[in-house]
Amino acid sequence: SPSCILIFYASQHERSGLRSAAFHDALTLAKNLSDQQEQLIDDARQTLFSISQLFESIEPKRIDSQKILSEFQKQNPQLVSFFIAKPDGELIASSAYFPKGFTISGRPIYPVVTQQKAFTIGEYSVARLTGKPILSMAYPILGDNGQIKTIYITGLDLTRIDQFVSKSQLPQGTLLTIIDRNGTLLYQYPNTPN
């Protein structure tokens, strides 16, 4: 009957409208999340630059480097630990205690930053000290000869994404997955065990 066809059409039209709205909401969330990530990365780069300007003007061994770096970390809770390393990766100073002879040369970001000799965003990894998932970032300082003098490193705390997503008031039934360029799962909403 014509009334059944009209009801079916209206129902299909309504579902199509809901799908379109859900798609629009998903695109908006993805753009907002991308914008926030870009801002966090830019803030991290600026923080590493500020730290480098401070420490390049004085010798880290002559001041309480750990106290100063810890203060930077308190002011930037989205960042996990700060490190200052020699070109060979040996640690000079950090925001947390590490044993003498600790090196960053085994971390995935080290060969990339030493090759690029510029601000570098690394791959997903797990912070050794906190066990938090992070996105490593490194900022090298070059000498007059173009070689690396010092490397400044931090990690963006990926657990902070959850705070942004929870504020986004996602519709019930929303699924959100964030993967890196290697296909590594960085974040999943709703959070599920394992």
Side-chain angles (χ1 to χ4, degrees):
S1 88
S3 62
C4 289
I5 294 171
L6 183 58
I7 291 170
F8 176 77
Y9 174 77
S11 174
Q12 290 293 67
H13 185 68
E14 184 177 327
R15 282 190 210 137
S16 176
L18 289 174
R19 274 195 301 264
S20 177
F23 182 73
H24 180 266
D25 289 349
L27 284 178
T28 300
L29 175 64
K31 180 172 180 359
N32 290 343
L33 196 54
S34 175
D35 290 347
Q36 184 199 30
Q37 181 182 0
E38 283 183 35
Q39 184 62 54
L40 288 170
I41 289 170
D42 191 52
D43 290 349
R45 185 192 57 75
Q46 188 61 44
T47 300
L48 288 174
F49 174 77
S50 297
I51 292 170
S52 74
Q53 294 304 291
L54 173 66
F55 282 94
E56 291 299 313
S57 65
I58 52 174
E59 189 176 332
K61 293 178 182 179
R62 303 187 82 199
I63 59 170
D64 189 347
S65 302
Q66 185 175 354
K67 183 177 180 181
I68 293 170
L69 291 172
S70 294
E71 194 57 41
F72 270 99
Q73 190 172 356
K74 286 178 191 171
Q75 298 300 316
N76 297 278
Q78 73 279 12
L79 301 175
V80 177
S81 301
F82 289 99
F83 303 98
I84 304 173
K86 295 178 181 178
D88 66 0
E90 183 183 340
L91 202 63
I92 298 169
S94 71
S95 58
Y97 170 77
F98 280 91
K100 186 168 176 64
F102 182 83
T103 179
I104 57 136
S105 62
R107 300 304 281 174
I109 198 166
Y110 177 76
V112 180
V113 73
T114 54
Q115 179 187 25
Q116 291 184 359
K117 296 182 181 179
F119 176 71
T120 302
I121 300 169
E123 303 293 332
Y124 165 85
S125 62
V126 175
R128 292 180 188 177
L129 185 63
T130 64
K132 290 182 177 182
I134 60 169
L135 188 61
S136 298
M137 290 172 269
Y139 187 90
I141 296 297
L142 305 181
D144 293 335
N145 63 359
Q147 297 303 308
I148 293 176
K149 279 179 34 179
T150 318
I151 304 170
Y152 295 82
I153 300 168
T154 193
L156 178 61
D157 181 356
L158 294 177
T159 63
R160 308 285 288 193
I161 294 172
D162 206 36
Q163 293 173 354
F164 174 78
V165 171
S166 65
K167 290 178 186 175
S168 298
Q169 300 177 351
L170 300 174
Q172 186 175 6
T174 299
L175 300 174
L176 172 66
T177 302
I178 300 173
I179 58 173
D180 70 7
R181 61 181 166 246
N182 297 321
T184 303
L185 177 66
L186 301 179
Y187 179 80
Q188 184 173 331
Y189 176 88
N191 292 325
T192 55
N194 302 322

